[in-house]
Amino acid sequence: RAKTEGRGVYRIYSAEMGAKLRRYHYLLDEMRQAIDSTNFFLTYQPVIDIDDFGISYFEALVRWQHPVEGTIAPDEFIPIAEDSNLILDLGDWILDEACRQMAAWYNAGMKKVRISVNVSPIQLKHKSLYDWIIKSLAKSGLPPHSLMLEITESCFIEASDELFNELEKLRADGVMIAIDDFGTGFSSLSVLAHLPVDVLKIDKLFVAEAIHNIKYKKILHSIVDMALKLELKVVAEGIENKEQLELLKTLGVKHIQGYLISRPQRSNYVGEKIFEQGINHMAQTGTSRWPP
Ligand code: C2E
Ligand code: MG
Ligand code: MG
Ligand code: MG
């Protein structure tokens, strides 16, 4: 009996694998067709100040608008783009598009809010980071102090001296650097002291765990304490409810992102709603969120 079950399980498993593999190659072929604004678009999700809900920055998050499949999420296609190095072309388009959009908002009066762009480890491996960023800024006319880059924790583990230098040069020009998904890699807290970064972004899995797991909560508390002592800004991602909001407030986190505040939105929605809100906030209080 066990034998039959075993074979049955194997058959289902292999059929599933086959379907996954077909989908993988199908999407890869489709992606090769064209990487431009007819197939991809950016959404924007605000990161806000926990005390007054003013906007600190928008994170640009890419979506694939497929004619047959509908909208495809980045968790599905970014890994395929990375395996095939198509992320290099896609990443160029993403950076240019994000800078172009932010420059338009900047010129419309939103001078103190940044745009944040996710950078893949494959891009860091193949591109000269500093020249790449500076060229895109020049093309769009966006000032460096309006840009932030999000680089995952794992990228820093094997980072070269050259990458560190490029990050330092960007920071000297005013570009902010964030460590993304902090807590999912294996870096010790002490490495934080040496990284060329301004912002530490705590992964949403960590936030979700801390609510019901006291050990996670304690670790989270010490990460936040350490980061703030090192004068890093701390952002918690994935805030979905008031309970999480309250917990992070208690732990000293000042900046949050999550569905509780806003889902990622298309630029026209941001333009009409969130953008207005940000402008109004600044007009009322006279304060900027994250000044250059
Ligand atoms: P990430 O950079 O850590 O981005 C945060 C992800 O969490 C986004 O998913 C965002 O929509 C989601 N999120 C925000 N708030 C909440 C919440 O309250 N609850 C839940 N469940 N999720 C929330 P998204 O847009 O699907 O992107 C997933 C990942 O794909 C990103 O994680 C990033 O690693 C990658 N990605 C997205 N856009 C880009 C891009 O333009 N370039 C690169 N290289 N990677 C990207
Ligand atoms: Mg990110
Ligand atoms: Mg993240
Ligand atoms: Mg993430």
Side-chain angles (χ1 to χ4, degrees), residues 42-43 45 59-63 73-75 78 82 87 91 94 117-121 123 150 152 180-181 201 203-204 237-240 244 257-260 262-264:
L42 296 184
T43 58
Q45 188 180 25
E59 178 174 12
L61 294 159
V62 68
R63 302 287 180 264
D75 280 334
I78 293 282
E82 288 179 334
I87 190 69
I94 291 167
V117 177
N118 291 282
V119 179
S120 152
Q123 292 173 285
E150 297 195 10
T152 55
D180 205 354
D181 300 344
K201 211 168 168 187
D203 194 73
K204 57 177 176 283
E237 67 172 30
I239 308 299
E240 294 184 347
Q244 292 169 338
Q257 177 184 43
Y259 295 168
L260 180 67
S262 168
R263 290 192 174 249

Side-chain angles (χ1 to χ4, degrees), residues 22-50:
R22 274 196 301 282
R23 168 112 177 143
Y24 183 101
H25 286 289
Y26 164 67
L27 292 180
L28 178 56
D29 280 346
E30 294 284 298
M31 210 185 300
R32 284 212 179 96
Q33 305 303 313
I35 290 174
D36 59 28
S37 311
T38 59
N39 297 300
F40 291 88
F41 66 94
L42 296 184
T43 58
Y44 301 87
Q45 188 180 25
V47 168
I48 61 139
D49 189 309
I50 211 165

